[in-house]
Amino acid sequence: MHPALRPSACPGLLRIVQALDGGICRIKLSGGSISAAQALAVATAAEEFAGGVIEATNRANLQIRGITGEHSRLIERLLAAGLGPRSAAGDDVRNLMLSPAAGIDRAMVLDTRALAAQILATLESNPGLHDLSAKFAVQLDGGEALAMLEHPHDLWLSAFERKGEPWLAFGLAGCPTDTAAGAVRLDDGHCLVVAVLELFLALARPEQTRMRHLLAERSVDSLLVLLGERLPLQRLDTWQRTPAPSGRHLGTYPQRQPGLVHVGAVPPLGRLTSEMLQGAALLCEQYGDASLRLTPWQSLLLPNICEQDAPALSQQLQALGFLLSADQALAHVLACTGSTGCAKGLADTKRDGQRLAALRQSADAPLQVHLSGCPRSCAAAHTAPVTLLAVSPGHYDLYFRDAGQAGFGALQARNLTIEAAGALLDARPRSPLDA
């Protein structure tokens, strides 16, 4: 372990955490973006030091699984590719999520990348912020149509216009679709983030690692009073973030820039081989701007593609094993590592997810199904329309999302086989909550 790293169960680039199938190295990407050269470095490192297994995470990062040894050489390889933090102690706090279409989305109110770079630089270089939990997370939403708005964050900011001027609505321990706690001018966005994080660290006890823990004892209004002493805040009475359309991480969509499109591709169940990542990197060099973006849907986005090249690119991505169509049931299945790689997993969720998708491929309208090997819900930070919670090998309890119930939602049936779960889902009426 690097001497500057604190103990934690969360993997990082510098902290390789042991799992049932070997070590895990998590590579946090600035705004979810990675260059083709960096992606090739990850693919090569995964092949050389692990089993070639790479996962796209639900926070738009990458992680290498199955690392068997030579941890220091693997870390050195990734650091040489420019994938590390500015300082060792800053790795854990690089938890800022953007839209994968930041700067290119037609619907965006604000290109968030400049503010994001400023926030990340502060997170990495300010020693006072390194005491934040490795799970403490911030979201910066620019109003894009392609945006994950269901993942809860400790602090979220969402761009909107007021009298032609950009503002940022913000909230604590929730999502941009929640009621905002207040708003600040864009110029005060960086100051707001720093103020919230410093206030949290000043008020929270050591065991209160997340904003929701602090809010269990203190009201949002009391925190706003303290924040208002550091910067001007505005109340918001009528603002509401428009929900993003579902499925836009799949396939081809026009960009804000004329003549350019972005192409979204899903690795089955969020897992890539070295060959898949290497192939995608080479394709973004050939057709795009030599960059890839990871998404919170455990997928890849290839930006800045000439519109006429999109069909050829899509065909080659499919040949590599990526899914590009919303008609493919497997593109809507989430699954954690499961019992083959995690000691807490009670079932082989990856294999069972493949079986469920095969059973449901003929369904009229695929809906998102989440298979979780244990109650920790590592594969989904949000509540999916349908959750299958493993209770034993090949058997699951079935939940439907219910806004009135916490956790996975309303329990529908217990101890189902995958075949029984598929039959029950086929018989279920379609709901607006299935999106």
Side-chain angles (χ1 to χ4, degrees):
M1 180 182 291
H2 193 287
L5 295 180
R6 59 186 172 184
S8 174
C10 289
L13 187 149
L14 304 172
R15 183 196 299 109
I16 296 177
V17 172
Q18 197 66 24
L20 193 62
D21 58 346
I24 304 173
C25 177
R26 182 170 299 155
I27 305 157
K28 295 184 177 181
L29 305 176
S30 297
S33 185
I34 186 171
S35 71
Q38 290 173 327
L40 289 170
V42 173
T44 302
E47 190 66 38
E48 185 173 346
F49 300 107
V53 176
I54 304 160
E55 291 179 329
T57 78
N58 59 35
R59 295 289 181 187
N61 295 312
L62 284 172
Q63 61 188 29
I64 299 173
R65 293 196 70 95
I67 302 166
T68 54
E70 299 187 280
H71 291 186
S72 61
R73 287 187 61 204
L74 167 64
I75 292 169
E76 288 170 5
R77 187 76 57 84
L78 298 175
L79 290 176
L83 290 164
R86 299 182 183 211
S87 66
D91 192 31
D92 280 342
V93 295
R94 296 191 293 164
N95 298 326
L96 175 63
M97 194 170 81
L98 308 182
S99 162
I104 62 175
D105 194 293
R106 280 186 161 186
M108 72 181 189
V109 175
L110 170 71
D111 184 344
T112 57
R113 291 175 294 179
L115 177 56
Q118 189 181 12
I119 294 170
L120 278 170
T122 299
L123 285 169
E124 291 188 50
S125 62
N126 186 336
L129 300 180
H130 297 168
D131 289 333
L132 290 167
S133 163
K135 294 182 181 297
F136 197 99
V138 180
Q139 180 175 14
L140 178 56
D141 162 42
E144 300 89 352
L146 179 60
M148 169 54 80
L149 303 179
E150 292 186 289
H151 285 187
H153 283 75
D154 297 280
L155 166 65
W156 60 262
L157 302 94
S158 187
F160 69 100
E161 282 192 359
R162 173 184 280 178
K163 297 180 180 179
E165 182 183 356
W167 283 68
L168 293 166
F170 71 92
L172 307 175
C175 309
T177 51
D178 295 340
T179 300
V184 297
R185 295 180 186 275
L186 175 61
D187 289 346
D188 290 324
H190 175 260
C191 181
L192 172 69
V193 173
V194 174
V196 170
L197 301 187
E198 290 181 346
L199 181 62
F200 172 81
L201 289 171
L203 297 177
R205 298 191 305 275
E207 68 273 17
Q208 294 175 318
T209 58
R210 306 298 299 275
M211 185 63 75
R212 66 177 183 271
H213 301 152
L214 183 62
L215 292 181
E217 294 183 356
R218 295 175 179 264
S219 70
V220 171
D221 285 342
S222 70
L223 298 186
L224 292 177
V225 169
L226 296 174
L227 286 172
E229 297 173 356
R230 298 188 54 168
L231 74 160
L233 305 179
Q234 292 285 329
R235 288 283 189 178
L236 284 180
D237 297 323
T238 59
W239 177 86
Q240 187 68 49
R241 174 59 159 103
T242 302
S246 63
R248 290 184 63 95
H249 62 288
L250 281 163
T252 301
Y253 289 89
Q255 294 185 183
R256 192 180 189 91
Q257 297 79 10
L260 297 181
V261 299
H262 60 75
V263 178
V266 176
L269 300 173
R271 180 164 284 186
L272 304 98
T273 63
S274 293
E275 293 78 12
M276 290 174 73
L277 183 56
Q278 181 182 47
L282 294 174
L283 287 172
C284 77
E285 282 187 327
Q286 179 182 354
Y287 291 106
D289 63 355
S291 75
L292 294 166
R293 301 186 186 190
L294 275 291
T295 86
W297 296 272
Q298 296 172 268
S299 62
L300 302 182
L301 183 146
L302 283 71
N304 298 313
I305 307 298
C306 290
E307 187 175 1
Q308 63 268 26
D309 292 333
L313 169 62
S314 299
Q315 186 175 21
Q316 292 179 66
L317 286 169
Q318 288 173 327
L320 287 169
F322 288 96
L323 310 171
L324 278 79
S325 172
D327 294 333
Q328 296 169 284
L330 189 55
H332 303 275
V333 178
L334 306 174
C336 66
T337 298
S339 57
T340 61
C342 176
K344 291 183 171 62
L346 298 179
D348 186 347
T349 52
K350 296 290 189 189
R351 182 196 63 188
D352 292 341
Q354 292 272 2
R355 289 171 56 203
L356 180 66
L359 290 169
R360 305 209 71 239
Q361 185 54 52
S362 60
D364 292 337
L367 71 160
Q368 190 181 78
V369 181
H370 168 213
L371 287 82
S372 190
C374 78
R376 295 187 303 164
S377 187
C378 293
H382 65 289
T383 302
V386 175
T387 297
L388 290 169
L389 177 62
V391 293
S392 65
H395 290 76
Y396 296 81
D397 289 345
L398 174 64
Y399 293 82
F400 290 165
R401 180 165 60 188
D402 186 328
Q405 297 197 37
F408 295 122
L411 178 64
Q412 302 296 309
R414 292 189 180 275
N415 202 30
L416 296 176
T417 64
I418 287 296
E419 290 75 16
L424 196 154
L425 292 177
D426 286 341
R428 179 194 181 209
R430 185 76 171 168
S431 163
L433 293 176
D434 292 343

